[in-house]
Amino acid sequence: MDEQHFFTLIAEELSLRWSQVKNTVDLLDAENTVPFIARYRKEVTGSLDEEQIRAIQERIRYLRNLEERRQAILKSIEEQGKLTPELEERIHAAARLQELEDLYLPYKPKRRTRATMAREKGLEPLAQLILAQEILSGDPLVYAQAYVDAEKGVESPEEALAGARDICAETVAEEARIRQTIRELTLARGFLTSAARDPENCQEYEIYKQFSEPVRTIPPHRILAINRGERENFLRVEVEAPEAELVLAIEAACITQPRSIFTGELRQAIADAYHRLLAPAIEREIRAQLSDKADDHAINIFAQNLRALLMQPPLRGRIILGIDPGFRTGCKIAAIDQTGKYLEGTTIYPHEPQRRWEEAKETIFEFIEDYRIDIIAIGNGTASRETEKLAAEVIAACSRPVQYVIVNEAGASVYSASPVAKKEFPELEASLRGNISIARRLLDPLSELVKIDPKSIGVGLYQHDVDQIRLAESLDQVVESCVNNVGVDLNTASASLLQYVSGINSRVAENIVKYREEKGRFDSRDELKAVKGVGENAFIQAAGFLRLPESEHFFDRTAVHPESYGAAEKLLQELGLTIAQVQENGKLVSRQLKKSRRPLAELAQRCGCGQETLLDIIASLEKPNRDPRDEMPKPILRSDVLSMEDLSEGMVLKGTVRNVVDFGAFVDIGVKEDGLVHLSRMAKKFIKHPLDVVKVGDVIEVKVISIDRERHRIGLSMVLD
């Protein structure tokens, strides 16, 4: 199967044009990144977005691996001298890896089995007689007598028939069409079941101690929970299938002459083939398939939550006091300025066991006065709500406006002990770095969170149970997408942020920071070429995503790619505008374009670029400093404290979505525990998944519908009337 056929298959599957697929694959093969292709090669791909490009990337990778495996299988069978024209045709027709492996199974080198030992005893011809079903009269034992050979270990006709049945069982179990039939029937009729190993000690797996659900309908989060329970040795798990029905299905496929004297032997072999060989193998396959499906789902949810978290709006221009709360070890506080620069930090002990409440208040008050603090960012971990009360008391006594906000601190401790943190703050202990991270992730979430392993950010479900390689790849793609979507200031970005820019790896990112330290600020994008490791291709990939807000060259401040500077200049000439005019008022571009009434196609031709590129140039010139995060809801800033005791059913409050899972969303409404909006309470109409309605960081109105103070649970509803 050649590449042209791959392009046709992918185009049909994704409802795209053949040329879109072919051109996209060519760009990927030339080592162009997905963000670069999506943003700066729209004419080539037909304006495919990142999701479509990644779908093509994933599918071409699968098909190429499939073809590579196909050729290896053909070669192996041919070397064995067993490649028939019919088998070769079936192998070439296989469209999935599973089909290929089923066809290869009878020819695959394997360890010694009961069947191979029977063959060594010379029982293959007897097995062929049983499978052929051509002998209609006589006694099977008489035919088996001819294969009795004490030297080979066959002592009786009964032993000969038993060995022949072993060969028949393996032959039946390795037949591709039979395996596919059993696989499909098990998927359609089977149940995933679990039982407690110790019913008195199920811990959090109580609902799975006697559980059964159809394989075809069991949701991903239950699969992951059951897998974890099995891995932790609390549960026994298996796939139960209608054995009698499946054995009959195999008999229907294998028994062509029921009057054969060997029909009874064949039935025994078929039953053995199912119970000893097929059922365990198919169960393993289905469990793996279910786990893969659940992994894909969980990884997708995590990726969507991570994207929403990274794309939360920055609170620019604020001086922030970050507090990493704690009891015994105290609360670590740190002030940062409007640029994220660390100013000062210390430790206060307002809670148990020291209870130096007034002293802690005085320290915070001094920080507010000395550094003109605008916002207090409090981590949402241990002692968070107790510290919130402390902050509210301080704010009430302040003469200037100060507010506080609860910040998701997941991953702050991971950052504290990381090489990145050590390099940033070598003079500080690890415990005094997390508070800086908490403050900075309010100032600019994206710039700070890229320093932390995405798995540690805490917006997933079962993230430690899924395939870690696939999870890491998916989350890296999300971070890369977000960073390039927002754009990066070349003169201020950390190496942690720069390494996610299209075309830049961690080594080059370090070189860029080192160049800045030695040579000073970059004056132009073109100067990036002087950095070690930035070749022509890397420059092309990266340049458009790097910004220089203070550059004398106006286009260097925008998302216009250097390769399109000429087109941008020509556009302004055609519209009778100067760069100075556009700098002062970017909306002049659209106004002049509308006033001129010139067709876009004609203008694009005059500018020497495609229409899609021209539209992007216009958008970039209109809003050179546009940040897509600014369109997202801002975090809720508070000045007073709400406790669980203050809640009553029917209350309507504003809250921030902290996490989205399959069954609902957890919402911070300003009390110690996050409330849960169940999927059924998210809208008046049916919705398939919570992510269809909300995402992490959304600010929503919710109604309190239940309060369980003993179990610290709050039920919320987004349906207010």
Side-chain angles (χ1 to χ4, degrees), residues 297 661-663 679 682 685-693:
H297 178 81
V661 294
D662 287 338
F663 50 84
L679 179 64
M682 288 188 155
K685 61 181 182 180
F686 172 77
I687 56 171
K688 192 171 182 180
H689 195 277
L691 282 169
D692 297 336
V693 180

Side-chain angles (χ1 to χ4, degrees), residues 646-712:
D646 298 323
L647 295 181
S648 60
E649 291 184 12
M651 261 185 155
V652 176
L653 303 163
K654 274 195 173 183
T656 304
V657 177
R658 292 296 183 200
N659 200 5
V660 182
V661 294
D662 287 338
F663 50 84
F666 290 97
V667 182
D668 177 2
I669 56 171
V671 300
K672 187 169 186 176
E673 306 295 335
D674 288 346
L676 173 65
V677 182
H678 190 268
L679 179 64
S680 61
R681 300 282 187 172
M682 288 188 155
K684 291 182 178 179
K685 61 181 182 180
F686 172 77
I687 56 171
K688 192 171 182 180
H689 195 277
L691 282 169
D692 297 336
V693 180
V694 295
K695 63 182 182 299
V696 169
D698 278 355
V699 175
I700 58 175
E701 276 199 337
V702 290
K703 181 167 69 174
V704 179
I705 57 172
S706 65
I707 306 166
D708 186 340
R709 290 185 173 86
E710 187 176 329
R711 298 166 71 191
H712 303 286

Side-chain angles (χ1 to χ4, degrees), residues 114-403:
R114 282 163 51 172
T116 57
M117 289 187 283
R119 288 187 178 96
E120 290 168 359
K121 294 175 181 179
L123 298 175
E124 178 81 33
L126 182 57
Q128 292 304 320
L129 283 178
I130 296 173
L131 291 168
Q133 307 171 62
E134 293 173 351
I135 301 173
L136 304 180
S137 62
D139 186 343
L141 288 172
V142 173
Y143 284 92
Q145 182 64 47
Y147 298 93
V148 174
D149 186 336
E151 289 185 5
K152 292 183 178 180
V154 183
E155 301 287 347
S156 66
E158 289 81 4
E159 284 188 19
L161 285 174
R165 288 196 301 270
D166 287 340
I167 296 172
C168 292
E170 187 171 274
T171 302
V172 167
E174 290 182 347
E175 169 54 48
R177 292 189 179 95
I178 289 174
R179 291 182 79 86
Q180 185 58 23
T181 297
I182 298 304
R183 186 181 294 115
E184 289 174 356
L185 284 172
T186 305
L187 283 168
R189 308 268 203 277
F191 285 77
L192 185 69
T193 68
S194 65
R197 290 184 177 276
D198 179 2
E200 303 302 317
N201 180 29
C202 296
Q203 293 197 16
E204 67 264 39
Y205 303 106
E206 183 73 24
I207 64 172
Y208 298 112
K209 73 177 185 180
Q210 202 64 46
F211 177 83
S212 177
E213 188 162 353
V215 167
R216 68 181 186 278
T217 60
I218 186 167
H221 67 275
R222 287 202 193 116
I223 296 167
L224 291 168
I226 288 170
N227 286 353
R228 180 189 285 179
E230 181 182 40
R231 191 166 51 251
E232 294 178 355
N233 213 32
F234 286 105
L235 302 175
R236 289 191 187 90
V237 184
E238 62 181 25
V239 174
E240 290 184 355
E243 296 179 5
E245 181 183 346
L246 298 185
V247 170
L248 283 173
I250 302 172
E251 288 182 356
C254 294
I255 298 176
T256 57
Q257 178 48 274
R259 290 172 48 235
S260 166
I261 65 169
F262 290 114
T263 298
E265 304 297 327
L266 185 53
R267 287 187 195 280
Q268 287 185 63
I270 287 170
D272 181 44
Y274 176 76
H275 291 105
R276 181 168 59 87
L277 302 174
L278 270 173
I282 297 300
E283 178 173 13
R284 285 192 299 271
E285 285 180 17
I286 288 175
R287 289 288 309 276
Q289 187 176 326
L290 289 175
S291 295
D292 284 347
K293 171 187 166 187
D295 279 8
D296 286 344
H297 178 81
I299 289 169
N300 181 51
I301 298 298
F302 197 137
Q304 291 188 62
N305 284 343
L306 178 63
R307 178 180 295 277
L309 185 65
L310 293 177
M311 293 299 286
Q312 284 188 102
L315 287 182
R316 297 186 183 88
R318 313 293 183 93
I319 301 174
I320 300 171
L321 182 70
I323 303 182
D324 186 0
F327 286 115
R328 183 180 58 80
T329 57
C331 299
K332 311 299 187 295
I333 68 175
I336 62 168
D337 70 10
Q338 299 94 328
T339 67
K341 179 184 175 183
Y342 171 65
L343 300 173
E344 185 187 353
T346 189
T347 304
I348 55 176
Y349 299 90
H351 312 308
E352 297 288 349
Q354 288 92 338
R355 295 195 297 178
R356 288 147 60 179
W357 187 267
E358 293 302 323
E359 179 185 308
K361 283 173 59 177
E362 184 61 31
T363 301
I364 293 175
F365 186 82
E366 288 174 3
F367 267 73
I368 291 173
E369 292 298 313
D370 291 348
Y371 296 108
R372 313 296 290 170
I373 300 293
D374 298 305
I375 301 173
I376 300 173
I378 304 169
N380 66 340
T382 304
S384 170
R385 296 305 175 180
E386 291 80 1
T387 306
E388 179 185 8
K389 183 181 177 184
L390 176 74
E393 286 190 17
V394 174
I395 288 171
C398 285
S399 57
R400 57 190 306 275
V402 180
Q403 294 172 298

Side-chain angles (χ1 to χ4, degrees), residues 18-65:
W18 186 91
S19 60
Q20 288 179 293
V21 176
K22 197 265 182 193
N23 292 345
T24 301
V25 172
D26 286 347
L27 286 167
L28 290 167
D29 286 346
E31 298 185 349
N32 292 284
T33 68
V34 172
F36 175 78
I37 295 170
R39 180 67 176 82
Y40 295 111
R41 291 296 180 262
K42 292 181 179 177
E43 281 85 8
V44 181
T45 68
S47 294
L48 296 183
D49 60 29
E50 284 191 27
E51 189 175 335
Q52 291 170 308
I53 294 168
R54 291 199 191 280
I56 292 172
Q57 185 180 44
E58 185 177 328
R59 197 69 181 109
I60 193 67
R61 186 185 299 158
Y62 178 88
L63 291 172
R64 284 171 171 171
N65 289 339

Side-chain angles (χ1 to χ4, degrees), residues 552-622:
E552 292 183 4
H553 196 310
F554 174 60
F555 296 147
D556 279 352
R557 309 178 197 175
T558 73
V560 177
H561 196 283
E563 65 187 9
S564 296
Y565 283 3
E569 289 170 354
K570 183 66 174 173
L571 171 66
L572 296 185
Q573 290 174 17
E574 293 289 325
L575 297 178
L577 294 171
T578 65
I579 286 177
Q581 288 175 306
V582 175
Q583 279 183 253
E584 190 173 333
N585 185 3
K587 293 182 179 178
L588 287 174
V589 178
S590 288
R591 288 180 192 169
Q592 285 296 101
L593 185 62
K594 189 175 181 180
K595 188 177 177 181
S596 71
R597 298 185 178 179
R598 297 177 66 177
L600 196 65
E602 176 200 320
L603 195 57
Q605 188 174 13
R606 292 278 298 170
C607 294
C609 65
Q611 291 186 54
E612 292 91 342
T613 296
L614 186 63
L615 286 170
D616 283 342
I617 291 172
I618 292 167
S620 297
L621 295 180
E622 283 188 329

